[in-house]
Amino acid sequence: MYIYCIEVNRMKQNIGTFIKEQRTSRRLSQTEFARRAGVSQSIISNLERGRVKSVTAVHAEGIARAVGMSLNELAGKVDF
């Protein structure tokens, strides 16, 4: 008898999709989320719309703080 172990590789989520899901689940406007993250509303908007694909380390730290995660936790969930 053979037992096969299949490892499921979970793909990381796009940062913009993650932000939008987190923001809307908290019922926050882009402006309020941006304030909590310490970034501009235009950065949040551009990330959510896919116009910007990556963030700076400072922005990533702010986004992590806004969703109540450490930077390491956020990095495990999203592509920067």
Side-chain angles (χ1 to χ4, degrees):
M1 172 183 228
Y2 293 95
I3 298 174
Y4 294 95
C5 180
I6 300 173
E7 182 178 322
V8 177
N9 184 11
R10 295 183 182 213
M11 294 184 64
K12 290 184 178 182
Q13 191 173 28
N14 171 279
I15 184 72
T17 302
F18 176 82
I19 289 170
K20 187 167 188 174
E21 287 177 0
Q22 293 294 313
R23 180 180 65 75
T24 57
S25 72
R26 290 169 169 75
R27 296 188 172 128
L28 298 174
S29 66
Q30 287 182 345
T31 302
E32 179 58 21
F33 187 89
R35 186 190 68 75
R36 292 180 184 195
V39 301
S40 70
Q41 180 273 330
S42 64
I43 289 173
I44 299 303
S45 176
N46 286 333
L47 284 166
E48 287 185 2
R49 290 184 292 151
R51 291 190 175 191
V52 176
K53 303 287 185 194
S54 62
V55 296
T56 67
V58 171
H59 292 161
E61 288 174 353
I63 291 164
R65 183 177 53 252
V67 297
M69 293 181 171
S70 71
L71 186 55
N72 285 338
E73 288 171 316
L74 181 66
K77 291 188 175 282
V78 301
D79 280 328
F80 289 112

